[in-house]
Every structure is written in structure tokens, then in C-alpha cells.
Amino acid sequence: MNAEELLRLYAAGERIFAGVDLSGVDLNKANLLEINLANANLINANLSGVNLREANLSGANLERANLSAASLIHSNLSNANLEHADLNDADLLEINLSGANLSHANLWGADLSNVYFLETNCTGANFSNTFLVDAVIEGANFQGAQIDTAIFKMPKIRFREIISRYAAGERNFSGFMVERDDIAPGEHWDLGQFKGLDLSGIILRNSSIQDIGLYMEGVILRGADLTRVDLGESHFEGADLSNAILRETRIFQSVFEFANLSGADLTGAGLTESIAFLR
């Protein structure tokens, strides 16, 4: 079903769309108050990769729905039923989940920054590797939830420390604010000074490298996970980003001249005012 058909039927009074397939559909700012996508026969609705930014889904029944990699930024899911829903890797930045039912939902790797969890039922939900910075959780029930690897703060780390720890075998640096090292008076960082640095497979999910962005020329990031990394005003000339994951990565006014992006996943990436002459 496409967006036009769904919105037409909804406007005509239809509310039950059990097991519907809306994968990849653009429903930006749609008003779908109390829509019902659940199915008594457990045929799950497919909304993977759907765009529901700023949508109104208050009171919606999304039980067991597949919302993996969906974008729901600034959407209203208050009092919605998301029991057993799959929100794996979804972008849920600043959504309203007040009074919602997330019991046993899968939120692995989702961005839940600044989310309202007021009186939300999160029992048994999977919050592994989720980003919960500045989330409001008053009155929420997390009994039995997997939340030990969730990220509640964005710690700072210097770029040279990442290089050192990477060389020692560490790969996961999710949720870090990556800073450049202190520079003595009269010194400066040069473009290309890290050319050839191999950080293949590094995980920087939900991190920010803006402060060092200008110095990434020629860096090897093959297969790196840069999901939702803030790369604003970065310089990746000649960098190897083949097979890298850049899903919903924030790329504003960045330079990718002669960079290798073959096989890279750029789903939902914002390339506003960026320059890319790719090889």
C-alpha cells in the first residue's frame, strides 16, 4: 500500500489496516491518530524504513509491527501500543512515548535522545546499545528490560586515544564526543596528517566527530559503522568508506572528493551542501 491510498482510506474513516506493508513509504507529518495495524493472526505490519517524522500516532496500535530502521523523529506515540514491536535501529529522536506500551519491544541500537518516557511501560524491552541521552524517564517501568549497554551520557574522548585503543583491539566507540588533542601554542593540525590511518570496522554509532572532522583526509574506514554520526563540515577527501554504514548520518557541508563509497549504506543520510566527486 502506498501513502496516498492509506491516507485516503484513513480520511474516509478507516482505522484498521491489519498486517499492512508500508515499508519505505513517506508518511512525513501524517495524522494517523489511533490507527490499528495489529493482526489477530499475528501477521505483522511491515513499516521498515518508513518515514514517519513528526507524525501523530497517538493511541495507535502497532503491536508486533516491524519498524526497523524507521524514522520517527519528533513524532507523537503517546499511549500507543508497541508491544513486541521491532524498532531495531530506528531513529526515535525527541519522540513522545508518554503512556505508551513498549513491553517486550526490540529497540536495539535505536536513537532515543530527548525522548519522553513518562509513565511508559518498558517491561522486558530490549534497549541494548540504544542512545538515551537526556531521555525523560519519570514513572517509566523498566522491570526486566535489557538496558545495561544503553548510552545515557555522551562522554568525551580524544582522537589519539581512539587510535591507541583501536590498535589494542577495541572497536566499539559508540556515543562518544570525539575531540582533537590539545595543541601547543603555535602548533596546528594539518589536512592529511592521518592519511592512511586504518580504522576499518570501527563502530562510532551515535557519536560526534565534528571537532576533528577537518582532519579525516585519506583515513581508511572500510566497513565502519557511522550510523547517525555527526560529520558536519568534515573533510574526507580520498578517504576509503567502502561498505561503511552511514545510515541517517548527519553530513552537512562536507567534502568527499575522490572518496571511495562503494557499497556504503547511505540510507537516510543528510548530504546537505556536501561535495562529492566519488571514485
Side-chain angles (χ1 to χ4, degrees), residues 26-31 51-56:
D26 186 358
L27 289 165
N28 183 52
K29 297 183 179 180
N31 180 18
N51 178 13
L52 282 163
R53 295 187 180 208
E54 300 182 45
N56 181 11

Side-chain angles (χ1 to χ4, degrees), residues 62-131:
L62 300 168
E63 183 178 358
R64 299 184 183 274
N66 177 8
L67 287 150
S68 59
S71 177
L72 292 117
I73 296 173
H74 302 302
S75 63
N76 181 7
L77 284 156
S78 60
N79 300 307
N81 180 15
L82 290 152
E83 186 174 4
H84 290 285
D86 185 0
L87 292 148
N88 168 38
D89 214 21
D91 197 342
L92 308 174
L93 179 69
E94 296 185 6
I95 70 170
N96 184 0
L97 283 167
S98 299
N101 180 12
L102 282 168
S103 176
H104 302 287
N106 177 26
L107 297 114
W108 188 97
D111 188 352
L112 291 150
S113 303
N114 301 299
V115 168
Y116 285 92
F117 284 96
L118 301 176
E119 306 297 330
T120 305
N121 178 10
C122 301
T123 58
N126 180 10
F127 288 91
S128 299
N129 295 308
T130 57
F131 204 59

Side-chain angles (χ1 to χ4, degrees), residues 41-249:
N41 296 320
L42 301 183
I43 300 175
N44 303 341
N46 183 11
L47 290 86
S48 59
V50 70
N51 178 13
L52 282 163
R53 295 187 180 208
E54 300 182 45
N56 181 11
L57 292 160
S58 180
N61 188 352
L62 300 168
E63 183 178 358
R64 299 184 183 274
N66 177 8
L67 287 150
S68 59
S71 177
L72 292 117
I73 296 173
H74 302 302
S75 63
N76 181 7
L77 284 156
S78 60
N79 300 307
N81 180 15
L82 290 152
E83 186 174 4
H84 290 285
D86 185 0
L87 292 148
N88 168 38
D89 214 21
D91 197 342
L92 308 174
L93 179 69
E94 296 185 6
I95 70 170
N96 184 0
L97 283 167
S98 299
N101 180 12
L102 282 168
S103 176
H104 302 287
N106 177 26
L107 297 114
W108 188 97
D111 188 352
L112 291 150
S113 303
N114 301 299
V115 168
Y116 285 92
F117 284 96
L118 301 176
E119 306 297 330
T120 305
N121 178 10
C122 301
T123 58
N126 180 10
F127 288 91
S128 299
N129 295 308
T130 57
F131 204 59
L132 286 160
V133 174
D134 295 326
V136 179
I137 60 175
E138 280 84 353
N141 184 357
F142 286 91
Q143 184 175 1
Q146 300 175 48
I147 203 166
D148 55 314
T149 58
I151 299 165
F152 289 92
K153 294 182 179 180
M154 182 176 271
K156 294 182 179 180
I157 188 171
R158 298 201 182 279
F159 187 47
R160 291 185 195 274
E161 183 181 351
I162 283 185
I163 296 172
S164 175
R165 288 164 60 173
Y166 180 94
E170 191 172 347
R171 293 294 180 268
N172 193 345
F173 299 91
S174 295
F176 277 99
M177 177 72 72
V178 183
E179 300 182 306
R180 66 180 185 177
D181 296 278
D182 291 328
I183 298 175
E187 293 183 344
H188 63 279
W189 284 35
D190 296 317
L191 281 171
Q193 76 175 85
F194 294 115
K195 189 174 183 178
L197 175 66
D198 193 343
L199 295 174
S200 298
I202 194 170
I203 301 171
L204 283 164
R205 175 184 294 263
N206 291 312
S207 296
S208 173
I209 66 168
Q210 275 191 295
D211 195 38
I212 63 160
L214 291 174
Y215 308 98
M216 302 302 285
E217 179 185 1
V219 171
I220 300 169
L221 290 161
R222 283 191 298 265
D225 186 349
L226 302 172
T227 300
R228 290 188 293 269
V229 173
D230 191 342
L231 301 179
E233 301 179 4
S234 298
H235 198 292
F236 284 89
E237 182 177 5
D240 185 353
L241 288 152
S242 56
N243 298 311
I245 304 170
L246 293 134
R247 295 182 66 91
E248 298 177 8
T249 300

Side-chain angles (χ1 to χ4, degrees), residues 241-244 260-265:
L241 288 152
S242 56
N243 298 311
N260 182 2
L261 283 161
S262 61
D265 183 353

